[in-house]
mmCIF file of all heavy atoms in Angstrom:
data_model
loop_
_atom_site.group_PDB
_atom_site.id
_atom_site.type_symbol
_atom_site.label_atom_id
_atom_site.label_comp_id
_atom_site.label_asym_id
_atom_site.label_seq_id
_atom_site.Cartn_x
_atom_site.Cartn_y
_atom_site.Cartn_z
ATOM 1 N N PHE I 1 -6.077 -13.825 -13.581
ATOM 2 C CA PHE I 1 -6.699 -13.191 -12.423
ATOM 3 C C PHE I 1 -7.118 -11.768 -12.808
ATOM 4 O O PHE I 1 -6.461 -10.788 -12.470
ATOM 5 C CB PHE I 1 -5.739 -13.160 -11.237
ATOM 6 C CG PHE I 1 -5.314 -14.520 -10.772
ATOM 7 C CD1 PHE I 1 -4.015 -14.958 -10.975
ATOM 8 C CD2 PHE I 1 -6.209 -15.363 -10.143
ATOM 9 C CE1 PHE I 1 -3.610 -16.212 -10.542
ATOM 10 C CE2 PHE I 1 -5.819 -16.618 -9.710
ATOM 11 C CZ PHE I 1 -4.517 -17.043 -9.917
ATOM 12 N N THR I 2 -8.228 -11.662 -13.525
ATOM 13 C CA THR I 2 -8.600 -10.365 -14.100
ATOM 14 C C THR I 2 -9.018 -9.348 -13.045
ATOM 15 O O THR I 2 -8.794 -8.154 -13.225
ATOM 16 C CB THR I 2 -9.726 -10.546 -15.124
ATOM 17 O OG1 THR I 2 -10.834 -11.203 -14.493
ATOM 18 C CG2 THR I 2 -9.253 -11.363 -16.309
ATOM 19 N N GLY I 3 -9.609 -9.797 -11.963
ATOM 20 C CA GLY I 3 -10.008 -8.868 -10.908
ATOM 21 C C GLY I 3 -8.804 -8.227 -10.239
ATOM 22 O O GLY I 3 -8.761 -7.012 -10.028
ATOM 23 N N ILE I 4 -7.820 -9.040 -9.922
ATOM 24 C CA ILE I 4 -6.596 -8.530 -9.308
ATOM 25 C C ILE I 4 -5.842 -7.662 -10.308
ATOM 26 O O ILE I 4 -5.294 -6.618 -9.945
ATOM 27 C CB ILE I 4 -5.713 -9.703 -8.822
ATOM 28 C CG1 ILE I 4 -6.421 -10.453 -7.696
ATOM 29 C CG2 ILE I 4 -4.356 -9.201 -8.363
ATOM 30 C CD1 ILE I 4 -5.733 -11.733 -7.284
ATOM 31 N N ALA I 5 -5.847 -8.064 -11.573
ATOM 32 C CA ALA I 5 -5.142 -7.303 -12.596
ATOM 33 C C ALA I 5 -5.750 -5.919 -12.772
ATOM 34 O O ALA I 5 -5.031 -4.920 -12.868
ATOM 35 C CB ALA I 5 -5.157 -8.055 -13.919
ATOM 36 N N SER I 6 -7.065 -5.836 -12.791
ATOM 37 C CA SER I 6 -7.694 -4.522 -12.968
ATOM 38 C C SER I 6 -7.512 -3.651 -11.727
ATOM 39 O O SER I 6 -7.328 -2.436 -11.844
ATOM 40 C CB SER I 6 -9.176 -4.676 -13.297
ATOM 41 O OG SER I 6 -9.871 -5.253 -12.207
ATOM 42 N N GLY I 7 -7.520 -4.251 -10.557
ATOM 43 C CA GLY I 7 -7.278 -3.489 -9.334
ATOM 44 C C GLY I 7 -5.863 -2.951 -9.266
ATOM 45 O O GLY I 7 -5.638 -1.778 -8.931
ATOM 46 N N ALA I 8 -4.900 -3.779 -9.601
ATOM 47 C CA ALA I 8 -3.508 -3.339 -9.594
ATOM 48 C C ALA I 8 -3.258 -2.290 -10.659
ATOM 49 O O ALA I 8 -2.501 -1.334 -10.451
ATOM 50 C CB ALA I 8 -2.582 -4.535 -9.793
ATOM 51 N N ALA I 9 -3.902 -2.429 -11.809
ATOM 52 C CA ALA I 9 -3.746 -1.434 -12.872
ATOM 53 C C ALA I 9 -4.344 -0.095 -12.455
ATOM 54 O O ALA I 9 -3.780 0.962 -12.757
ATOM 55 C CB ALA I 9 -4.395 -1.936 -14.154
ATOM 56 N N ALA I 10 -5.462 -0.127 -11.763
ATOM 57 C CA ALA I 10 -6.079 1.116 -11.294
ATOM 58 C C ALA I 10 -5.193 1.814 -10.263
ATOM 59 O O ALA I 10 -5.022 3.041 -10.307
ATOM 60 C CB ALA I 10 -7.455 0.817 -10.696
ATOM 61 N N ILE I 11 -4.612 1.054 -9.354
ATOM 62 C CA ILE I 11 -3.706 1.618 -8.358
ATOM 63 C C ILE I 11 -2.471 2.204 -9.037
ATOM 64 O O ILE I 11 -2.030 3.314 -8.706
ATOM 65 C CB ILE I 11 -3.312 0.562 -7.308
ATOM 66 C CG1 ILE I 11 -4.523 0.183 -6.468
ATOM 67 C CG2 ILE I 11 -2.183 1.068 -6.420
ATOM 68 C CD1 ILE I 11 -4.286 -0.995 -5.554
ATOM 69 N N ALA I 12 -1.926 1.482 -10.012
ATOM 70 C CA ALA I 12 -0.751 1.972 -10.736
ATOM 71 C C ALA I 12 -1.064 3.261 -11.475
ATOM 72 O O ALA I 12 -0.257 4.194 -11.491
ATOM 73 C CB ALA I 12 -0.263 0.913 -11.715
ATOM 74 N N GLN I 13 -2.249 3.348 -12.058
ATOM 75 C CA GLN I 13 -2.645 4.551 -12.789
ATOM 76 C C GLN I 13 -2.780 5.743 -11.842
ATOM 77 O O GLN I 13 -2.302 6.836 -12.153
ATOM 78 C CB GLN I 13 -3.952 4.289 -13.505
ATOM 79 C CG GLN I 13 -4.382 5.402 -14.425
ATOM 80 C CD GLN I 13 -5.641 5.037 -15.187
ATOM 81 O OE1 GLN I 13 -6.303 4.048 -14.883
ATOM 82 N NE2 GLN I 13 -5.962 5.831 -16.177
ATOM 83 N N VAL I 14 -3.390 5.547 -10.703
ATOM 84 C CA VAL I 14 -3.546 6.634 -9.732
ATOM 85 C C VAL I 14 -2.183 7.105 -9.225
ATOM 86 O O VAL I 14 -1.912 8.314 -9.153
ATOM 87 C CB VAL I 14 -4.451 6.189 -8.559
ATOM 88 C CG1 VAL I 14 -4.383 7.168 -7.403
ATOM 89 C CG2 VAL I 14 -5.875 6.014 -9.030
ATOM 90 N N LEU I 15 -1.311 6.170 -8.885
ATOM 91 C CA LEU I 15 0.021 6.542 -8.407
ATOM 92 C C LEU I 15 0.811 7.280 -9.476
ATOM 93 O O LEU I 15 1.547 8.224 -9.180
ATOM 94 C CB LEU I 15 0.786 5.301 -7.944
ATOM 95 C CG LEU I 15 0.296 4.653 -6.661
ATOM 96 C CD1 LEU I 15 1.069 3.375 -6.399
ATOM 97 C CD2 LEU I 15 0.435 5.606 -5.494
ATOM 98 N N PHE I 16 0.665 6.867 -10.731
ATOM 99 C CA PHE I 16 1.364 7.534 -11.822
ATOM 100 C C PHE I 16 0.881 8.968 -11.967
ATOM 101 O O PHE I 16 1.682 9.895 -12.106
ATOM 102 C CB PHE I 16 1.160 6.767 -13.127
ATOM 103 C CG PHE I 16 1.807 7.427 -14.296
ATOM 104 C CD1 PHE I 16 3.176 7.386 -14.453
ATOM 105 C CD2 PHE I 16 1.045 8.083 -15.246
ATOM 106 C CE1 PHE I 16 3.781 7.993 -15.542
ATOM 107 C CE2 PHE I 16 1.634 8.690 -16.328
ATOM 108 C CZ PHE I 16 3.006 8.641 -16.481
ATOM 109 N N TYR I 17 -0.433 9.182 -11.922
ATOM 110 C CA TYR I 17 -0.965 10.541 -12.058
ATOM 111 C C TYR I 17 -0.572 11.422 -10.874
ATOM 112 O O TYR I 17 -0.287 12.607 -11.045
ATOM 113 C CB TYR I 17 -2.474 10.519 -12.240
ATOM 114 C CG TYR I 17 -2.892 10.026 -13.602
ATOM 115 C CD1 TYR I 17 -3.936 9.124 -13.750
ATOM 116 C CD2 TYR I 17 -2.229 10.432 -14.749
ATOM 117 C CE1 TYR I 17 -4.313 8.670 -14.989
ATOM 118 C CE2 TYR I 17 -2.599 9.986 -15.996
ATOM 119 C CZ TYR I 17 -3.649 9.112 -16.115
ATOM 120 O OH TYR I 17 -4.015 8.659 -17.351
ATOM 121 N N ILE I 18 -0.532 10.861 -9.676
ATOM 122 C CA ILE I 18 -0.085 11.631 -8.514
ATOM 123 C C ILE I 18 1.375 12.025 -8.674
ATOM 124 O O ILE I 18 1.759 13.170 -8.377
ATOM 125 C CB ILE I 18 -0.307 10.827 -7.215
ATOM 126 C CG1 ILE I 18 -1.798 10.711 -6.906
ATOM 127 C CG2 ILE I 18 0.411 11.471 -6.040
ATOM 128 C CD1 ILE I 18 -2.118 9.778 -5.755
ATOM 129 N N ALA I 19 2.198 11.115 -9.171
ATOM 130 C CA ALA I 19 3.613 11.421 -9.387
ATOM 131 C C ALA I 19 3.783 12.521 -10.433
ATOM 132 O O ALA I 19 4.621 13.416 -10.270
ATOM 133 C CB ALA I 19 4.362 10.167 -9.809
ATOM 134 N N ILE I 20 2.993 12.492 -11.493
ATOM 135 C CA ILE I 20 3.070 13.531 -12.523
ATOM 136 C C ILE I 20 2.655 14.881 -11.966
ATOM 137 O O ILE I 20 3.306 15.907 -12.225
ATOM 138 C CB ILE I 20 2.200 13.146 -13.738
ATOM 139 C CG1 ILE I 20 2.764 11.924 -14.429
ATOM 140 C CG2 ILE I 20 2.071 14.303 -14.723
ATOM 141 C CD1 ILE I 20 4.137 12.127 -15.021
ATOM 142 N N VAL I 21 1.591 14.915 -11.180
ATOM 143 C CA VAL I 21 1.128 16.174 -10.587
ATOM 144 C C VAL I 21 2.183 16.729 -9.631
ATOM 145 O O VAL I 21 2.487 17.932 -9.664
ATOM 146 C CB VAL I 21 -0.230 15.973 -9.866
ATOM 147 C CG1 VAL I 21 -0.578 17.153 -8.998
ATOM 148 C CG2 VAL I 21 -1.323 15.722 -10.884
ATOM 149 N N LEU I 22 2.765 15.876 -8.803
ATOM 150 C CA LEU I 22 3.809 16.336 -7.889
ATOM 151 C C LEU I 22 5.032 16.841 -8.655
ATOM 152 O O LEU I 22 5.630 17.853 -8.279
ATOM 153 C CB LEU I 22 4.224 15.208 -6.941
ATOM 154 C CG LEU I 22 3.226 14.878 -5.840
ATOM 155 C CD1 LEU I 22 3.702 13.667 -5.049
ATOM 156 C CD2 LEU I 22 3.019 16.060 -4.922
ATOM 157 N N PHE I 23 5.388 16.172 -9.731
ATOM 158 C CA PHE I 23 6.499 16.627 -10.553
ATOM 159 C C PHE I 23 6.229 18.015 -11.118
ATOM 160 O O PHE I 23 7.098 18.897 -11.067
ATOM 161 C CB PHE I 23 6.759 15.641 -11.692
ATOM 162 C CG PHE I 23 7.704 16.167 -12.722
ATOM 163 C CD1 PHE I 23 9.063 16.234 -12.449
ATOM 164 C CD2 PHE I 23 7.245 16.609 -13.948
ATOM 165 C CE1 PHE I 23 9.946 16.736 -13.400
ATOM 166 C CE2 PHE I 23 8.112 17.107 -14.899
ATOM 167 C CZ PHE I 23 9.475 17.173 -14.620
ATOM 168 N N LEU I 24 5.031 18.231 -11.631
ATOM 169 C CA LEU I 24 4.694 19.534 -12.202
ATOM 170 C C LEU I 24 4.676 20.635 -11.142
ATOM 171 O O LEU I 24 5.143 21.753 -11.388
ATOM 172 C CB LEU I 24 3.358 19.462 -12.927
ATOM 173 C CG LEU I 24 3.356 18.626 -14.202
ATOM 174 C CD1 LEU I 24 1.950 18.514 -14.760
ATOM 175 C CD2 LEU I 24 4.310 19.217 -15.219
ATOM 176 N N ILE I 25 4.171 20.328 -9.959
ATOM 177 C CA ILE I 25 4.146 21.315 -8.874
ATOM 178 C C ILE I 25 5.566 21.702 -8.483
ATOM 179 O O ILE I 25 5.889 22.891 -8.370
ATOM 180 C CB ILE I 25 3.368 20.765 -7.651
ATOM 181 C CG1 ILE I 25 1.883 20.707 -7.962
ATOM 182 C CG2 ILE I 25 3.617 21.619 -6.416
ATOM 183 C CD1 ILE I 25 1.059 19.991 -6.918
ATOM 184 N N PHE I 26 6.428 20.713 -8.297
ATOM 185 C CA PHE I 26 7.808 21.020 -7.904
ATOM 186 C C PHE I 26 8.584 21.696 -9.028
ATOM 187 O O PHE I 26 9.468 22.509 -8.770
ATOM 188 C CB PHE I 26 8.529 19.760 -7.437
ATOM 189 C CG PHE I 26 8.082 19.303 -6.074
ATOM 190 C CD1 PHE I 26 7.592 18.028 -5.883
ATOM 191 C CD2 PHE I 26 8.137 20.162 -4.995
ATOM 192 C CE1 PHE I 26 7.176 17.602 -4.633
ATOM 193 C CE2 PHE I 26 7.726 19.751 -3.740
ATOM 194 C CZ PHE I 26 7.242 18.479 -3.560
ATOM 195 N N LEU I 27 8.247 21.388 -10.260
ATOM 196 C CA LEU I 27 8.881 22.066 -11.385
ATOM 197 C C LEU I 27 8.533 23.540 -11.404
ATOM 198 O O LEU I 27 9.409 24.402 -11.537
ATOM 199 C CB LEU I 27 8.469 21.405 -12.700
ATOM 200 C CG LEU I 27 9.053 22.017 -13.968
ATOM 201 C CD1 LEU I 27 10.558 21.764 -14.006
ATOM 202 C CD2 LEU I 27 8.378 21.433 -15.182
ATOM 203 N N VAL I 28 7.253 23.855 -11.225
ATOM 204 C CA VAL I 28 6.822 25.247 -11.197
ATOM 205 C C VAL I 28 7.422 25.972 -9.996
ATOM 206 O O VAL I 28 7.903 27.099 -10.122
ATOM 207 C CB VAL I 28 5.278 25.333 -11.192
ATOM 208 C CG1 VAL I 28 4.803 26.746 -10.895
ATOM 209 C CG2 VAL I 28 4.727 24.852 -12.515
ATOM 210 N N LEU I 29 7.418 25.329 -8.852
ATOM 211 C CA LEU I 29 8.011 25.948 -7.668
ATOM 212 C C LEU I 29 9.509 26.171 -7.857
ATOM 213 O O LEU I 29 10.047 27.203 -7.447
ATOM 214 C CB LEU I 29 7.768 25.083 -6.431
ATOM 215 C CG LEU I 29 6.362 25.087 -5.871
ATOM 216 C CD1 LEU I 29 6.257 24.092 -4.726
ATOM 217 C CD2 LEU I 29 5.947 26.467 -5.421
ATOM 218 N N GLY I 30 10.177 25.222 -8.459
ATOM 219 C CA GLY I 30 11.603 25.358 -8.676
ATOM 220 C C GLY I 30 11.943 26.465 -9.648
ATOM 221 O O GLY I 30 12.974 27.119 -9.522
ATOM 222 N N LEU I 31 11.075 26.699 -10.607
ATOM 223 C CA LEU I 31 11.337 27.742 -11.595
ATOM 224 C C LEU I 31 10.915 29.126 -11.127
ATOM 225 O O LEU I 31 11.371 30.120 -11.673
ATOM 226 C CB LEU I 31 10.624 27.405 -12.908
ATOM 227 C CG LEU I 31 11.156 26.179 -13.641
ATOM 228 C CD1 LEU I 31 10.291 25.873 -14.843
ATOM 229 C CD2 LEU I 31 12.599 26.378 -14.043
ATOM 230 N N THR I 32 10.036 29.213 -10.135
ATOM 231 C CA THR I 32 9.512 30.516 -9.719
ATOM 232 C C THR I 32 9.907 30.881 -8.294
ATOM 233 O O THR I 32 10.742 31.741 -8.088
ATOM 234 C CB THR I 32 7.983 30.544 -9.856
ATOM 235 O OG1 THR I 32 7.430 29.497 -9.063
ATOM 236 C CG2 THR I 32 7.551 30.384 -11.288
ATOM 237 N N VAL I 33 9.338 30.241 -7.347
ATOM 238 C CA VAL I 33 9.450 30.643 -5.935
ATOM 239 C C VAL I 33 10.882 30.529 -5.428
ATOM 240 O O VAL I 33 11.429 31.467 -4.855
ATOM 241 C CB VAL I 33 8.500 29.816 -5.059
ATOM 242 C CG1 VAL I 33 8.699 30.124 -3.592
ATOM 243 C CG2 VAL I 33 7.064 30.038 -5.478
#
């Protein structure tokens, strides 16, 4: 099911990048503010 596979992979990639960005934001806030 290549269509479903590519859609799920795209969603997983977006969620992963959002999690990384949130981690970096909270890391900077935790170290500074």
Side-chain angles (χ1 to χ4, degrees):
F1 299 110
T2 56
I4 295 172
S6 65
I11 293 171
Q13 187 176 11
V14 167
L15 289 175
F16 178 74
Y17 287 136
I18 290 172
I20 294 297
V21 167
L22 286 175
F23 169 75
L24 291 174
I25 289 171
F26 286 124
L27 180 68
V28 169
L29 286 175
L31 293 175
T32 58
V33 175

